[in-house]
Amino acid sequence: MSRSASLAVPVIKSRSLQDLKHRVNIHDVVARTVSLKKSGGNRFKGLCPFHSEKSPSFHVSADKGFYKCFGCGKAGDILNFVMETEGLQFTEAAEALAKRFGVNLEYEAGTGGPSREERSLRQEIFDIHDVAADYYRQTFLATNPHGDFIRNYWTQNRRFTPELADDFKIGFAPPEDSGLAGAVLQKKFSEEALRQCGLFFIRDGAMLTIGGMRPRFRGRLMIPIRDHQSRVVAFTARQLELTPKDDPSHEAKYVNSPETPIFTKSHLLFNLDRARTHAGEGHPFVLVEGQLDAMRCWSVGLKTAVAPQGTSITDGQLVLMRRYHPQVECFFDSDSAGQKAALRFLPLALRAGLEVRFLMLAGAEKLDPDLLFLERGLAAYEEVKKSSLNAMEFAVRSLLPNAAAAGSEQKSRTAQTLFEIVAQAESDVSRTGFIQDISSHLRIPANALEKDFRTYLARQSGSRFAPAGAPVVAPAPAADARDAHTKGMESHLLFLCLHNDSVLHGLSQHLPHEWIIATSLPGRLLDRILAEVQHNGWTGRESLEQLLETEEEKALAATLLFDSPGEENMAKIANEGLRAMQHRFLEPQLRQIELEIASKGTIGDASLITLLKQRTAITRQLQNPPKLTFES
Ligand code: ZN
């Protein structure tokens, strides 16, 4: 999706932002989300909202206006806090804070758009979705033949209750109608917002009239999709008998809203907004395949069910889930496609730090949560929970169904595949646990397996930082899920810099500019940020805003900021990256020198001596790579 670059984004005056930061006490902002206790002076601490912990390592300094978590390293000011905890963009966060604390904001002249009550484009699109959700809901409830049809479909075909429809604000898009266009036109939204909201097909250059705005969804059951803050950001539309034949995606059972400024599929889980308030002691998240499955779970009292938006689950969705609860139980189809999906899912989940169990029904050929819960209610959940498998048990069973009868060759091949999965887990404690699990399920002695795993890791080290496209011994199964931009060393280091000030300052001293491949997007950004630090222009996160020049760069920074670092040692990872970049830079030079040395014949040749000296110098550098020394 390309967003128009000329789009007028309201820019708040920097003086106004400074004023906001001075007038709003960070304690009051954070205390809405985190229960804070005084810890001397004007400092407070509490349980970190960004990672799961039992003893508080999240510190707030009211004097400095900053928070920092010593567990996960997250740090920032009031704006970062609101952006991260409420999922808002920078300007929206500033506007939300200003409103909450009664501070007036001033905008740079000419940037407020046509100054529609200072509503940002995203806010307008949120508002359009509210209007649409209401509209679809009213048509669902209407006393007319269409209303009768859809309510009958809901209760008879889907076998859901009217109360559930009310709960989820289920709606109906009539087959032919201009009602929605009329409703939004009445509210005087901007043309930009109407064109970008994804609810209409509007021809380029067409007038924004009821006739010129063709509804995207016609003759379908409408399921509102909410973000983790319960704002409607999109719809999933289920095909019905009434779906018109001239609907461009008539054949599709489910049609989703396109991606818009407020809707990114890969960062959204259906029902997370409600499920997260029910996830807690003894109530892990339950991951199901579709929205209707999730609603079925809800209807029988299993309130922690979430569903990915679209077919496959992404890193972003898992990180979001991890933010609220560390455990997830998965319902995947027991057919081979479902098993493959589950095996693809597992390494992503481990990387996100989630503890996974797979729900199984003993003896069942196919597990359909919708049908299962419809017929047997919550009791069915207790039953599948009883025969559920932990991560490694499940993986061993899928890869080698008859482990007891397998030969050692087969077992060792399976172990190698499992190592790829286990290596994704960040903590050594969980890795050790997984290796023990594998040992008991594959029936290989634990010490032998541990040794093999260490060998595997040694072989892999470096490949984590392999440049994109370089041959890797065994591609991690999760690799394809990563966006191309987030591959490679520059991206890894940029990620660390954005999350850890010590790494940022360390790299600004130890990472030479010429080692960075600045033609890639992450490389360019890394180079620019490190230069800013070197020139003392970096004053923290707010400097980042000013360094981001394009939408692409903003998106990359947001993606990297969105991912939270694991409990790993940042200095160690940064050093691995440094070493790998040094190699990438120096190895070709070394090879060139060696070629030249080989082509020289006589000993005592002055140029040969120079070459040998150069070789020694480079070899020495490679043996003593630069190193960041702080502890993290
Ligand atoms: Zn934390």
Side-chain angles (χ1 to χ4, degrees), residues 48-53 57-58 69-74:
C48 178
F50 304 113
H51 84 279
S52 159
E53 61 177 9
S57 49
F58 183 80
C69 173
F70 290 92
C72 67
K74 289 248 177 194

Side-chain angles (χ1 to χ4, degrees), residues 583-584 586-596:
H583 260 266
R584 185 179 66 186
L586 290 178
E587 286 286 1
Q589 298 182 17
L590 191 60
R591 240 173 285 140
Q592 184 60 38
I593 291 170
E594 267 161 4
L595 278 178
E596 284 175 36

